[in-house]
Amino acid sequence: MTQLWDFTGGIHPAENKQQSTSRPIRTAGLPERLVLPLQQHIGDPAEPLVKVGERVLKGQKIADVSVGMGVPVHAPTSGVIESIAELPVPHPSGMNDWCITLKPDGEDQWREQHPVSDYRSLDRETVLGIIHEAGISGMGGAGFPTDIKLRPPKDRKVDTLILNGAECEPYITADDMTMREKAGEVVAGLKVMAWILRPERCVIGIEDNKPQAIEAMQKACEGTQIEIAVIPTKYPSGGEKQLIRVLTGQEVPSAGIPADIGVMCQNIGTAVAVSRAVFDDSPLISRIVTITGEAVREPGNFEVLIGTPIDYLLEQANLESSKVNRLVLGGPMMGYTLTTTAVPVTKTTNCVIAATAAELPAPPPEQPCIRCGQCAEVCPMELLPQQLFWYSKSGEFEKAEHLNLFDCIECGACSYVCPSSIPLVQYYRYAKGEIRVQRAEQIKADRARERFEARQARLEREQQEKEQRRKERAKAAAEAQAKKQAEAEKAAEAGEAVDERAAKAALVQQALERKKAKTAKASPEASAQTNTSEEKPDIEALEKQLEQAKSKLDNMQGMLDDAKAQQADNVDKLERAVAKNHDRVQRAEQALADARKALAGTTESQTSD
C-alpha cells in the first residue's frame, strides 16, 4: 500500500459533485460559430496562419507561436474562417483578445492524419515534437505547455511522475468522469509521458470520494507498475504542491518547481490529449467540461469542441435563465464570475456553474479583521494570510513579497473561513499584479539605461576614433609638407625652376614669339600692325585681372580668419595661400602701372610725330 502524508491546513467545503455525475459524458454538438482565442495558455500568443475567407480542415493548424513559449491552435472542425478580431475571452477582468472565428460547414472533414503505432521506435525529441504540434498545454491549471514541462532541466532527474486525479474543487467532476469512461486513454497517455521522462515511480492520486473512478483506473493499470494512490478528501489536496506532499512526503521549496525535488505532476485531461496526439494524430481540439448548478435542468459533463461559446453549452444542459444569479467559470473556490456568456471554451476550461441566488449568495460586506488567526490555520502553504492582507491593503508590496506572497496558490481557503468576510485572495491577487507591473517597469527602465549607456560609449568611441584620424591626417600633411619643402630647397640649390606655372608661362611666351616672328615674315604690314598692337597694352583687361586678384585675396583672408577662430588643421595651408594671392595682387598692380606708363609714352610719341 502506498504510504501517504498529510499537508498543513485545508478545509472541507460542501462537495456538490453528485449533480453532474449521474449521467455519462455527452457530446455537446456543433455550434454555429467557434471562437478560438490565440492565447489559451501561459506564454506568448499564437499568430494566425490563415486569412479571412479561407476554408480549413478539422485538425488543421490555424495559428502558431513563432518565437517564445507557446503551442499552436487547431481548427476543431472543417469550415470557413469568418473573422480575425478582438472578442471577449475568459478572464476575470472581462477583457477582449484576438480570436479566430470559424464557421463550421457541417462536413467535419479531417486533414490528413499520421498516427503512430509504436512511439518507442521514435526518439524522444520526435515524440515531444508531436506533443507540441498537437497544441497540448496543461488542462487542469494555468495551461503550461506540456512539451516544455516534459523537458525538465538536465541537472534535475524526475524520479516520480504523478497524475493528478484528486479534483478537490467542489462541483467539478470532469476528471472524475474522464477516469470512469476513458481510463484506457488516461493510462496510455501516462505511459507515453513516463517513456519520455523515465521516472522510477508513476502514481495516480485520486481522492477517496471517487470510488468508481478508482475502480476503473485500477482495472486499466493491471499488469503495469503504475500505482493508484487513494488519498483522503480534503481541499486543496488537488493543488500540485499539496499532492506532492501527500504522495511523497517532500515539499517543493519556496519559489521553486516540483522538478527541483525530482517530481512532476500532470493532469488527467492532459494524459488523454497526449494519447490522442500520439496514437491518433489528433490535436487538442476538444475537452471534457462540467456544466452544473441549480439553474440547469440537466447538469453533467460534455465533450466540447474548443471554441464553443458558453451560452451554447448552457443550452445543451437546459439552462433556466430566470434562476441564474451568477455564472462562475471554474470552481466556487478558485473560479471567477463571468460577465458574459459569449466567451468560448478554451483548453483550460473545466467547469461552468450556473448558480442560483440561494446556491452561491453574494458575500456579506467586508468587516474589520478581528485577528482570530483562522486563516493561518487553514493555509495549506503555511503562510501568514493576516500579515499578507495588511501589507497588500496598505501597498507595502515589498514586505508582502518578503513573506512569500508568490507562494500563495490562491486556493481561497482563508477567505472561506474568514468570519469578517474579507476577500483575502482578491487582495493577494491585487498585490501580485502590482508587483509584476513594478517588475516590468523596472526591467523597462534597466533596458533604457543600458541603451543610453551603450549609446554614450559608442559616441565616445567614435569621438576618439575621429580625433585619432584627425591626428593621423595632420601628421601625414606635415610629413608631406616637409617632403615638398625639402624637394623645393633641393631644386633651388640645383638652379631649377620651382614654379610650374612660371615654366608653363615661359613655354607659352616662347610659342607666341615664334608665331609672331612667322607672321612678321609673311606680311610686313601685319607685322607692323602687330607691333603697333603690342605697343598698346590692354588697360581694361589688366584692371579686370587686378580686381579678380583682390577679390580672391579677400576670400582667402576670410577663410583664414574663420580657420584661426575654429583652430582648424588647415591654418598653415591657408596662410600660404593668402601670401601667394597677396603676391599676385602686387604683380597685377605693377603690371597695370607699367601698362599705363607705356600707354602714356606711346601717346606722346604719336603726338610729336
Side-chain angles (χ1 to χ4, degrees), residues 95-416:
M95 65 179 284
N96 290 357
D97 204 355
W98 286 98
C99 303
I100 297 176
T101 302
L102 172 64
K103 184 177 181 180
D105 57 15
E107 297 181 15
D108 205 36
Q109 182 181 354
W110 267 97
R111 60 156 170 79
E112 187 177 352
Q113 293 177 274
H114 303 281
V116 175
S117 57
D118 182 13
Y119 62 88
R120 292 182 178 85
S121 63
L122 306 174
D123 60 77
R124 284 167 174 74
E125 282 300 319
T126 301
V127 177
L128 286 168
I130 292 172
I131 293 172
H132 170 79
E133 286 299 311
I136 301 174
S137 58
M139 298 170 67
F144 196 87
T146 301
D147 67 297
I148 297 178
K149 194 171 182 179
L150 290 172
R151 286 187 176 93
K154 293 182 179 180
D155 59 340
R156 294 168 187 164
K157 173 74 169 62
V158 174
D159 299 317
T160 304
L161 175 60
I162 297 174
L163 205 58
N164 188 349
E167 199 171 42
C168 59
E169 179 112 8
Y171 284 94
I172 307 176
T173 59
D175 288 348
D176 183 3
M177 296 304 297
T178 300
M179 289 186 287
R180 293 190 198 185
E181 300 186 20
K182 304 179 186 296
E185 289 185 270
V186 173
V187 173
L190 176 59
K191 287 181 178 179
V192 173
M193 291 187 285
W195 177 78
I196 293 172
L197 295 171
R198 295 187 176 181
E200 297 176 2
R201 179 190 181 200
C202 288
V203 56
I204 304 175
I206 309 174
E207 280 191 327
D208 56 15
N209 61 352
K210 303 174 180 61
Q212 292 175 274
I214 294 170
E215 182 181 356
M217 292 304 300
Q218 286 176 337
K219 185 175 180 181
C221 292
E222 288 179 357
T224 71
Q225 295 182 342
I226 299 172
E227 304 174 32
I228 301 297
V230 181
I231 65 176
T233 299
K234 183 170 73 167
Y235 180 83
S237 60
E240 183 177 62
K241 295 180 179 180
Q242 285 66 46
L243 186 61
I244 290 172
R245 168 65 182 171
V246 170
L247 296 177
T248 68
Q250 301 182 79
E251 291 189 4
V252 179
S254 177
I257 60 175
D260 294 338
I261 57 173
V263 182
M264 181 176 293
C265 280
Q266 296 287 354
N267 179 260
I268 293 294
T270 304
V272 174
V274 169
S275 172
R276 292 178 178 178
V278 174
F279 298 109
D280 302 329
D281 189 21
S282 174
L284 179 51
I285 56 175
S286 67
R287 66 156 298 144
I288 307 299
V289 180
T290 302
I291 305 297
T292 186
E294 294 181 1
V296 292
R297 295 191 186 93
E298 299 178 16
N301 286 275
F302 295 82
E303 182 146 11
V304 186
L305 294 178
I306 304 297
T308 299
I310 296 296
D311 52 7
Y312 171 85
L313 198 53
L314 291 169
E315 290 176 8
Q316 306 309 301
N318 287 325
L319 174 70
E320 295 184 79
S321 302
S322 59
K323 292 185 177 181
V324 177
N325 180 56
R326 286 176 63 194
L327 282 174
V328 178
L329 188 67
M333 302 299 294
M334 299 183 70
Y336 53 88
T337 301
L338 286 175
T339 56
T340 175
T341 57
V343 299
V345 170
T346 65
K347 296 176 182 181
T348 57
T349 303
N350 57 1
C351 181
V352 179
I353 304 173
T356 61
E359 188 177 14
L360 290 178
E366 178 182 338
Q367 301 294 324
C369 174
I370 61 173
R371 305 176 186 272
C372 64
Q374 292 186 45
C375 54
E377 293 177 4
V378 301
C379 178
M381 296 303 298
E382 300 184 69
L383 302 176
L384 298 173
Q386 180 180 313
Q387 288 299 113
L388 291 174
F389 162 65
W390 289 117
Y391 292 146
S392 300
K393 187 175 183 178
S394 61
E396 298 180 273
F397 304 126
E398 195 171 319
K399 293 181 179 179
E401 190 174 5
H402 182 69
L403 290 179
N404 300 322
L405 171 66
F406 281 91
D407 283 348
C408 171
I409 62 173
E410 301 177 16
C411 66
C414 52
S415 301
Y416 182 81

Side-chain angles (χ1 to χ4, degrees), residues 32-83:
E32 293 183 2
R33 302 284 189 282
L34 291 169
V35 180
L36 301 156
L38 294 179
Q39 185 167 22
Q40 304 182 36
H41 50 74
I42 283 181
D44 300 290
E47 298 176 359
L49 301 177
V50 293
K51 298 180 180 179
V52 175
E54 182 178 343
R55 184 177 185 271
V56 296
L57 301 178
K58 183 175 183 178
Q60 178 181 330
K61 189 193 299 185
I62 60 175
D64 200 359
V65 176
S66 55
V67 293
M69 181 179 70
V71 292
V73 179
H74 300 80
T77 187
S78 59
V80 177
I81 302 299
E82 192 171 70
S83 70

